[in-house]
Amino acid sequence: MPLNELAAGTRVVGEKQVLRALGRDGLQKLFVAKDVEPERLRPLLEGARALGVEVEWADSRLVLGRACAIDRSASAAGLLRP
């Protein structure tokens, strides 16, 4: 899983920010953690599917947060379109 993409590109972190970016059709790729409750991920995954955004899974929220260079866990993150 190439989470290093998050360190190199312009990103958004967190469910609310990712949902906003999906609403603007501004996401290139969506990253979600496997240890998040499915009902919390449903709107993100449905939005990504509707827009044809690629989805990548991280092993845990902690791993995803570290990949985003933040000092806390993250349930979702996304790479913004250039």
Side-chain angles (χ1 to χ4, degrees):
M1 110 185 59
L3 292 177
N4 58 352
E5 293 176 80
L6 286 168
T10 306
R11 66 184 174 272
V12 291
V13 181
E15 293 174 54
K16 289 181 184 177
Q17 288 188 19
V18 169
L19 274 174
R20 282 189 212 121
L22 278 171
R24 296 188 311 262
D25 193 20
L27 272 191
Q28 177 181 352
K29 192 172 192 179
L30 171 65
F31 294 85
V32 290
K34 290 180 183 177
D35 60 348
V36 178
E37 300 80 19
E39 59 273 1
R40 284 179 55 193
L41 293 180
R42 188 170 294 120
L44 298 173
L45 296 174
E46 288 174 357
R49 187 179 320 115
L51 296 171
V53 174
E54 182 182 352
V55 177
E56 180 132 352
W57 293 86
D59 290 333
S60 70
R61 290 180 281 196
L62 185 60
V63 169
L64 186 55
R66 287 182 180 164
C68 293
I70 60 173
D71 59 352
R72 52 187 300 179
S73 61
S75 56
L79 281 179
L80 295 174
R81 293 187 190 277

Coordinates of all heavy atoms in Angstrom, one line a residue:
M1 N 0.8 -1.2 0.0 CA 0.0 0.0 0.0 C 0.9 1.2 0.0 O 1.6 1.5 0.9 CB -0.9 -0.1 1.2 CG -0.8 0.8 2.3 SD -1.8 0.5 3.7 CE -1.4 -1.2 4.1
P2 N 0.9 2.0 -1.0 CA 1.7 3.2 -1.2 C 1.2 4.4 -0.4 O 0.8 5.4 -1.1 CB 1.8 3.4 -2.7 CG 0.6 2.9 -3.2 CD 0.2 1.8 -2.3
L3 N 1.2 4.4 0.9 CA 0.7 5.5 1.6 C 1.7 6.7 1.5 O 1.3 7.8 1.9 CB 0.5 5.2 3.1 CG -0.6 4.2 3.4 CD1 -0.6 3.8 4.9 CD2 -1.9 4.7 3.0
N4 N 2.9 6.5 1.0 CA 3.8 7.6 0.8 C 3.3 8.7 -0.1 O 3.8 9.8 -0.1 CB 5.2 7.1 0.4 CG 5.1 6.3 -0.9 OD1 4.1 6.0 -1.4 ND2 6.3 6.0 -1.4
E5 N 2.3 8.3 -0.9 CA 1.7 9.3 -1.8 C 1.1 10.5 -1.0 O 1.1 11.6 -1.4 CB 0.5 8.7 -2.6 CG 0.9 7.7 -3.6 CD -0.3 7.1 -4.3 OE1 -0.8 7.8 -5.2 OE2 -0.7 6.0 -3.9
L6 N 0.7 10.2 0.2 CA 0.1 11.2 1.1 C 1.1 12.3 1.5 O 0.8 13.4 1.7 CB -0.6 10.6 2.3 CG -1.9 9.9 2.0 CD1 -2.3 9.1 3.2 CD2 -3.0 10.9 1.7
A7 N 2.4 11.8 1.7 CA 3.4 12.7 2.1 C 3.9 13.7 1.0 O 4.3 14.8 1.3 CB 4.6 11.9 2.7
A8 N 3.7 13.2 -0.2 CA 4.2 14.0 -1.3 C 3.2 15.0 -1.9 O 3.6 16.0 -2.4 CB 4.7 13.1 -2.4
G9 N 1.9 14.7 -1.8 CA 0.9 15.5 -2.5 C 0.2 16.4 -1.6 O 0.4 16.4 -0.4
T10 N -0.7 17.2 -2.2 CA -1.6 18.0 -1.4 C -2.7 17.2 -0.9 O -3.4 16.5 -1.7 CB -2.1 19.2 -2.3 OG1 -1.0 19.9 -2.9 CG2 -3.0 20.1 -1.5
R11 N -3.0 17.2 0.4 CA -4.0 16.3 1.0 C -4.9 17.0 1.9 O -4.7 18.1 2.3 CB -3.2 15.2 1.7 CG -2.5 15.8 2.9 CD -1.6 14.7 3.6 NE -0.9 15.3 4.7 CZ 0.4 15.8 4.6 NH1 0.9 15.8 3.4 NH2 1.0 16.3 5.6
V12 N -6.0 16.3 2.1 CA -7.0 16.6 3.2 C -7.0 15.4 4.1 O -6.9 14.3 3.7 CB -8.4 17.0 2.6 CG1 -8.3 18.2 1.9 CG2 -8.9 15.8 1.8
V13 N -7.2 15.7 5.4 CA -7.2 14.7 6.4 C -8.5 14.8 7.3 O -8.8 15.9 7.7 CB -6.0 14.7 7.3 CG1 -6.0 13.6 8.4 CG2 -4.7 14.7 6.5
G14 N -9.2 13.7 7.5 CA -10.4 13.7 8.3 C -11.6 13.5 7.5 O -11.7 13.9 6.3
E15 N -12.6 12.9 8.1 CA -13.9 12.6 7.4 C -14.6 13.8 6.8 O -15.0 13.8 5.7 CB -14.8 11.9 8.3 CG -14.3 10.5 8.8 CD -15.3 9.9 9.8 OE1 -16.5 9.8 9.5 OE2 -14.7 9.5 10.9
K16 N -14.7 14.9 7.6 CA -15.4 16.1 7.1 C -14.7 16.7 6.0 O -15.3 17.1 5.0 CB -15.6 17.1 8.3 CG -16.6 16.6 9.3 CD -16.7 17.7 10.4 CE -17.6 17.2 11.5 NZ -17.7 18.2 12.6
Q17 N -13.4 16.9 6.1 CA -12.7 17.5 5.0 C -12.7 16.7 3.7 O -12.8 17.2 2.6 CB -11.2 17.8 5.4 CG -11.1 18.9 6.4 CD -9.7 19.3 6.6 OE1 -8.8 19.0 5.8 NE2 -9.4 19.9 7.7
V18 N -12.6 15.3 3.9 CA -12.7 14.4 2.7 C -14.1 14.5 2.1 O -14.2 14.6 0.8 CB -12.3 13.0 3.1 CG1 -12.6 12.0 2.0 CG2 -10.9 12.9 3.5
L19 N -15.1 14.6 2.9 CA -16.5 14.7 2.3 C -16.6 16.0 1.5 O -17.2 16.0 0.5 CB -17.5 14.6 3.4 CG -18.0 13.2 3.8 CD1 -18.9 13.3 5.0 CD2 -18.7 12.5 2.6
R20 N -16.1 17.1 2.1 CA -16.2 18.4 1.4 C -15.4 18.3 0.0 O -15.9 18.8 -1.0 CB -15.5 19.5 2.2 CG -16.4 20.0 3.3 CD -15.9 21.2 4.0 NE -16.3 21.2 5.4 CZ -15.5 21.1 6.4 NH1 -14.2 21.2 6.3 NH2 -16.0 21.1 7.6
A21 N -14.3 17.7 0.0 CA -13.5 17.6 -1.2 C -14.2 16.7 -2.2 O -14.2 17.0 -3.4 CB -12.1 17.0 -0.9
L22 N -14.9 15.6 -1.7 CA -15.7 14.8 -2.6 C -16.8 15.6 -3.2 O -17.2 15.4 -4.4 CB -16.2 13.5 -1.9 CG -15.3 12.4 -1.7 CD1 -15.8 11.3 -0.8 CD2 -15.0 11.7 -3.1
G23 N -17.5 16.4 -2.4 CA -18.6 17.2 -2.9 C -18.2 18.2 -4.0 O -19.0 18.5 -4.8
R24 N -16.9 18.6 -4.0 CA -16.4 19.5 -5.0 C -15.8 18.8 -6.2 O -15.2 19.4 -7.1 CB -15.3 20.4 -4.4 CG -15.8 21.4 -3.3 CD -14.6 22.4 -3.0 NE -13.4 21.7 -2.7 CZ -12.9 21.4 -1.5 NH1 -13.6 21.6 -0.5 NH2 -11.7 20.8 -1.4
D25 N -15.8 17.4 -6.1 CA -15.2 16.6 -7.1 C -13.7 16.9 -7.2 O -13.1 17.0 -8.2 CB -15.8 16.7 -8.5 CG -15.3 15.6 -9.4 OD1 -14.8 14.6 -8.9 OD2 -15.5 15.8 -10.6
G26 N -13.1 17.1 -6.0 CA -11.7 17.5 -5.9 C -10.7 16.5 -5.5 O -9.5 16.8 -5.3
L27 N -11.2 15.2 -5.3 CA -10.3 14.2 -4.8 C -9.8 13.3 -6.0 O -10.5 12.9 -6.9 CB -11.0 13.2 -3.8 CG -11.0 13.6 -2.4 CD1 -11.5 12.4 -1.6 CD2 -9.7 14.0 -1.9
Q28 N -8.5 13.0 -5.9 CA -7.9 12.2 -6.9 C -7.9 10.7 -6.3 O -8.1 9.8 -7.1 CB -6.4 12.6 -7.1 CG -5.6 11.8 -8.0 CD -4.2 12.4 -8.1 OE1 -3.9 13.4 -7.6 NE2 -3.3 11.6 -8.8
K29 N -7.7 10.6 -5.0 CA -7.6 9.3 -4.4 C -8.0 9.4 -2.9 O -7.7 10.3 -2.3 CB -6.2 8.7 -4.5 CG -6.0 7.3 -4.1 CD -4.5 6.9 -4.4 CE -4.4 5.4 -4.4 NZ -3.0 5.0 -4.7
L30 N -8.8 8.4 -2.5 CA -9.3 8.3 -1.1 C -8.5 7.2 -0.3 O -8.4 6.1 -0.9 CB -10.8 8.0 -1.1 CG -11.5 7.7 0.2 CD1 -11.4 8.9 1.1 CD2 -12.9 7.2 0.0
F31 N -8.1 7.5 0.9 CA -7.5 6.6 1.8 C -8.4 6.4 3.0 O -8.8 7.4 3.6 CB -6.1 7.1 2.2 CG -5.1 7.2 1.1 CD1 -5.1 8.3 0.3 CD2 -4.2 6.1 0.8 CE1 -4.1 8.4 -0.7 CE2 -3.3 6.2 -0.2 CZ -3.3 7.3 -1.0
V32 N -8.7 5.2 3.4 CA -9.5 4.9 4.6 C -8.9 3.9 5.4 O -8.2 3.0 4.9 CB -11.0 4.5 4.2 CG1 -11.7 5.7 3.6 CG2 -11.0 3.4 3.2
A33 N -9.1 3.9 6.7 CA -8.5 3.0 7.6 C -9.4 1.8 7.8 O -10.7 1.9 7.8 CB -8.2 3.6 9.0
K34 N -8.9 0.6 7.9 CA -9.7 -0.6 8.0 C -10.4 -0.8 9.3 O -11.4 -1.5 9.4 CB -8.8 -1.9 7.8 CG -8.3 -2.0 6.4 CD -7.4 -3.3 6.3 CE -6.8 -3.4 4.9 NZ -5.9 -4.6 4.8
D35 N -9.9 -0.1 10.4 CA -10.5 -0.2 11.7 C -11.5 0.8 12.1 O -11.8 1.0 13.2 CB -9.4 -0.3 12.8 CG -8.5 1.0 12.8 OD1 -8.6 1.8 11.9 OD2 -7.7 1.1 13.8
V36 N -12.1 1.4 11.0 CA -13.2 2.4 11.3 C -14.5 1.7 11.1 O -14.6 0.8 10.2 CB -13.1 3.6 10.3 CG1 -14.2 4.6 10.4 CG2 -11.7 4.3 10.4
E37 N -15.5 2.1 11.8 CA -16.8 1.5 11.8 C -17.4 1.7 10.3 O -17.3 2.8 9.8 CB -17.8 2.1 12.8 CG -17.4 2.0 14.2 CD -16.3 3.0 14.6 OE1 -16.1 4.0 14.0 OE2 -15.6 2.7 15.6
P38 N -18.0 0.6 9.8 CA -18.5 0.7 8.4 C -19.5 1.8 8.2 O -19.5 2.4 7.1 CB -19.1 -0.7 8.1 CG -18.4 -1.6 9.1 CD -18.1 -0.7 10.3
E39 N -20.4 2.1 9.1 CA -21.4 3.1 8.9 C -20.8 4.5 8.8 O -21.3 5.4 8.2 CB -22.4 3.1 10.0 CG -21.9 3.2 11.4 CD -21.5 1.9 12.1 OE1 -21.5 0.9 11.5 OE2 -21.1 2.0 13.3
R40 N -19.6 4.7 9.4 CA -18.9 6.0 9.3 C -18.3 6.1 7.9 O -18.1 7.2 7.4 CB -17.8 6.1 10.4 CG -18.4 6.4 11.7 CD -17.4 6.6 12.8 NE -16.4 7.6 12.5 CZ -15.2 7.7 13.2 NH1 -14.9 6.9 14.2 NH2 -14.3 8.6 12.8
L41 N -17.9 5.0 7.3 CA -17.2 5.1 6.0 C -18.2 5.1 4.9 O -17.8 5.5 3.8 CB -16.3 3.8 5.9 CG -15.1 3.8 6.8 CD1 -14.3 2.5 6.5 CD2 -14.2 5.0 6.6
R42 N -19.4 4.6 5.1 CA -20.3 4.5 4.0 C -20.5 5.7 3.1 O -20.4 5.6 1.9 CB -21.7 4.1 4.5 CG -22.7 3.7 3.4 CD -23.9 3.0 4.0 NE -23.6 1.7 4.5 CZ -23.8 1.4 5.8 NH1 -24.3 2.2 6.6 NH2 -23.4 0.2 6.2
P43 N -20.7 7.0 3.7 CA -20.8 8.1 2.8 C -19.5 8.4 2.0 O -19.6 8.8 0.8 CB -21.1 9.3 3.8 CG -21.4 8.7 5.1 CD -20.9 7.3 5.1
L44 N -18.4 8.2 2.6 CA -17.1 8.4 1.9 C -17.0 7.4 0.7 O -16.6 7.8 -0.4 CB -15.9 8.2 2.8 CG -15.8 9.2 4.0 CD1 -14.7 8.8 4.9 CD2 -15.7 10.6 3.5
L45 N -17.2 6.1 1.0 CA -17.1 5.1 -0.1 C -18.1 5.3 -1.2 O -17.8 5.1 -2.4 CB -17.1 3.7 0.6 CG -16.0 3.4 1.6 CD1 -16.3 2.1 2.2 CD2 -14.7 3.4 0.9
E46 N -19.3 5.6 -0.8 CA -20.4 5.8 -1.8 C -20.0 7.0 -2.7 O -20.2 7.0 -3.9 CB -21.7 6.0 -1.2 CG -22.3 4.7 -0.6 CD -23.6 4.9 0.2 OE1 -24.1 6.1 0.3 OE2 -24.1 3.9 0.6
G47 N -19.6 8.1 -2.1 CA -19.2 9.3 -2.9 C -18.0 9.0 -3.8 O -18.0 9.4 -4.9
A48 N -17.0 8.2 -3.3 CA -15.9 7.9 -4.1 C -16.3 7.0 -5.3 O -15.9 7.2 -6.4 CB -14.8 7.2 -3.3
R49 N -17.2 6.0 -5.0 CA -17.7 5.2 -6.1 C -18.4 6.0 -7.2 O -18.2 5.8 -8.4 CB -18.6 4.1 -5.5 CG -18.9 3.0 -6.5 CD -19.8 1.9 -6.0 NE -19.4 1.4 -4.7 CZ -20.2 1.6 -3.6 NH1 -21.4 2.1 -3.7 NH2 -19.8 1.1 -2.4
A50 N -19.3 6.9 -6.7 CA -20.1 7.7 -7.7 C -19.2 8.5 -8.6 O -19.5 8.8 -9.7 CB -21.1 8.5 -6.9
L51 N -18.1 9.0 -8.0 CA -17.2 9.9 -8.8 C -16.0 9.2 -9.5 O -15.2 9.8 -10.2 CB -16.7 11.0 -7.9 CG -17.7 12.0 -7.3 CD1 -17.1 12.8 -6.3 CD2 -18.3 12.8 -8.5
G52 N -15.9 7.9 -9.3 CA -14.9 7.1 -9.9 C -13.5 7.4 -9.2 O -12.5 7.2 -9.9
V53 N -13.5 7.7 -7.9 CA -12.3 8.0 -7.2 C -11.7 6.6 -6.7 O -12.4 5.8 -6.1 CB -12.5 8.9 -6.0 CG1 -11.3 9.1 -5.2 CG2 -13.0 10.3 -6.5
E54 N -10.4 6.4 -6.9 CA -9.8 5.2 -6.4 C -9.7 5.2 -4.9 O -9.5 6.2 -4.3 CB -8.3 5.1 -7.0 CG -7.6 3.9 -6.6 CD -6.2 3.9 -7.1 OE1 -5.8 4.8 -7.9 OE2 -5.4 3.0 -6.7
V55 N -9.9 4.0 -4.3 CA -9.9 3.9 -2.8 C -8.8 3.0 -2.4 O -8.6 1.9 -3.0 CB -11.3 3.3 -2.3 CG1 -11.2 3.1 -0.8 CG2 -12.4 4.2 -2.7
E56 N -8.0 3.4 -1.4 CA -6.9 2.6 -0.9 C -7.2 2.4 0.6 O -7.5 3.4 1.3 CB -5.6 3.3 -1.2 CG -4.5 2.5 -0.7 CD -3.4 2.4 -1.7 OE1 -3.6 2.8 -2.8 OE2 -2.3 1.9 -1.3
W57 N -6.9 1.2 1.1 CA -7.1 0.9 2.5 C -5.8 1.0 3.3 O -4.8 0.4 2.8 CB -7.8 -0.4 2.6 CG -9.2 -0.5 2.1 CD1 -9.5 -0.7 0.8 CD2 -10.4 -0.2 2.8 NE1 -10.9 -0.6 0.7 CE2 -11.4 -0.3 1.9 CE3 -10.6 0.1 4.1 CZ2 -12.7 -0.1 2.3 CZ3 -12.0 0.3 4.5 CH2 -13.0 0.2 3.6
A58 N -5.8 1.6 4.4 CA -4.7 1.6 5.4 C -5.0 0.5 6.5 O -6.2 0.3 6.8 CB -4.5 2.9 6.0
D59 N -4.0 0.0 7.0 CA -4.2 -1.1 8.1 C -4.9 -0.5 9.3 O -5.6 -1.3 9.9 CB -2.8 -1.7 8.5 CG -2.2 -2.5 7.4 OD1 -3.0 -3.0 6.5 OD2 -1.0 -2.6 7.3
S60 N -4.6 0.7 9.7 CA -5.3 1.2 10.9 C -5.3 2.8 10.8 O -4.6 3.4 10.0 CB -4.5 0.8 12.2 OG -3.2 1.5 12.2
R61 N -6.1 3.4 11.7 CA -6.1 4.8 11.8 C -4.8 5.4 12.2 O -4.4 6.5 11.7 CB -7.2 5.2 12.8 CG -8.6 4.9 12.3 CD -9.6 5.3 13.3 NE -9.7 4.3 14.4 CZ -10.6 4.1 15.2 NH1 -11.6 5.0 15.3 NH2 -10.6 3.1 16.1
L62 N -4.1 4.7 13.1 CA -2.8 5.2 13.5 C -1.8 5.3 12.3 O -1.1 6.3 12.1 CB -2.2 4.4 14.6 CG -0.9 4.8 15.3 CD1 -1.1 6.2 15.9 CD2 -0.5 3.8 16.3
V63 N -1.8 4.2 11.5 CA -0.9 4.2 10.4 C -1.3 5.3 9.4 O -0.4 6.0 8.8 CB -1.0 2.8 9.7 CG1 -0.3 2.8 8.3 CG2 -0.4 1.7 10.6
L64 N -2.5 5.5 9.2 CA -3.0 6.5 8.2 C -2.6 7.9 8.7 O -2.1 8.8 8.0 CB -4.5 6.4 8.0 CG -5.1 7.3 6.9 CD1 -4.4 7.2 5.6 CD2 -6.6 7.1 6.8
G65 N -2.8 8.1 10.0 CA -2.4 9.4 10.6 C -0.9 9.7 10.5 O -0.5 10.8 10.1
R66 N -0.1 8.7 10.7 CA 1.4 8.8 10.5 C 1.7 9.1 9.1 O 2.6 9.9 8.8 CB 2.1 7.6 11.1 CG 2.1 7.5 12.6 CD 2.8 6.3 13.1 NE 2.8 6.3 14.5 CZ 3.1 5.2 15.2 NH1 3.4 4.1 14.6 NH2 3.0 5.3 16.5
A67 N 1.1 8.4 8.2 CA 1.3 8.6 6.7 C 1.0 10.1 6.3 O 1.6 10.6 5.4 CB 0.6 7.6 5.9
C68 N 0.1 10.7 7.0 CA -0.3 12.1 6.7 C 0.5 13.1 7.5 O 0.3 14.3 7.4 CB -1.8 12.3 7.1 SG -2.9 11.4 6.1
A69 N 1.5 12.6 8.2 CA 2.4 13.4 9.0 C 1.7 14.2 10.1 O 2.0 15.4 10.3 CB 3.2 14.3 8.1
I70 N 0.7 13.6 10.7 CA 0.0 14.3 11.9 C 0.3 13.4 13.1 O 0.6 12.2 13.0 CB -1.5 14.5 11.6 CG1 -2.2 13.2 11.4 CG2 -1.7 15.4 10.5 CD1 -3.7 13.3 11.3
D71 N 0.2 14.0 14.3 CA 0.5 13.2 15.5 C -0.7 12.6 16.1 O -0.7 12.4 17.3 CB 1.2 14.1 16.5 CG 0.4 15.3 16.8 OD1 -0.7 15.6 16.2 OD2 0.8 16.1 17.8
R72 N -1.7 12.3 15.4 CA -2.9 11.6 15.9 C -3.4 10.7 14.8 O -3.0 10.7 13.6 CB -4.0 12.6 16.3 CG -4.3 13.6 15.3 CD -5.2 14.7 15.8 NE -6.5 14.0 16.3 CZ -7.5 14.7 16.8 NH1 -7.4 15.9 16.9 NH2 -8.6 14.0 17.1
S73 N -4.4 9.9 15.1 CA -4.9 8.9 14.1 C -5.9 9.6 13.2 O -6.4 10.7 13.5 CB -5.6 7.8 14.9 OG -6.7 8.3 15.6
A74 N -6.1 9.0 12.0 CA -7.0 9.6 11.0 C -7.8 8.4 10.4 O -7.3 7.4 10.1 CB -6.2 10.3 9.9
S75 N -9.1 8.6 10.3 CA -9.9 7.6 9.7 C -10.0 7.7 8.2 O -10.2 6.7 7.5 CB -11.4 7.6 10.3 OG -11.9 8.9 10.1
A76 N -9.8 8.9 7.7 CA -9.8 9.1 6.2 C -8.9 10.2 5.8 O -8.7 11.1 6.6 CB -11.2 9.3 5.8
A77 N -8.4 10.1 4.6 CA -7.6 11.1 4.0 C -7.8 11.1 2.5 O -8.2 10.1 2.0 CB -6.1 11.0 4.4
G78 N -7.4 12.1 1.9 CA -7.5 12.1 0.4 C -6.4 13.0 -0.3 O -6.0 14.0 0.3
L79 N -6.0 12.5 -1.5 CA -5.2 13.3 -2.3 C -6.0 14.2 -3.2 O -7.0 13.8 -3.8 CB -4.3 12.5 -3.2 CG -3.1 11.8 -2.6 CD1 -2.5 10.9 -3.7 CD2 -2.1 12.7 -2.1
L80 N -5.7 15.5 -3.2 CA -6.5 16.5 -4.0 C -6.0 16.5 -5.4 O -4.8 16.2 -5.7 CB -6.3 17.9 -3.4 CG -6.9 18.1 -2.0 CD1 -6.6 19.5 -1.5 CD2 -8.4 17.9 -2.0
R81 N -6.9 16.8 -6.3 CA -6.5 16.9 -7.7 C -5.6 18.1 -7.9 O -5.8 19.1 -7.3 CB -7.8 17.1 -8.6 CG -8.7 15.9 -8.6 CD -9.8 16.1 -9.6 NE -10.8 15.1 -9.5 CZ -10.8 13.9 -10.0 NH1 -9.7 13.5 -10.7 NH2 -11.7 13.0 -9.9
P82 N -4.7 17.9 -8.8 CA -3.7 19.0 -9.1 C -4.5 20.2 -9.7 O -5.5 20.1 -10.3 CB -2.7 18.5 -10.0 CG -3.1 17.1 -10.4 CD -4.3 16.8 -9.6

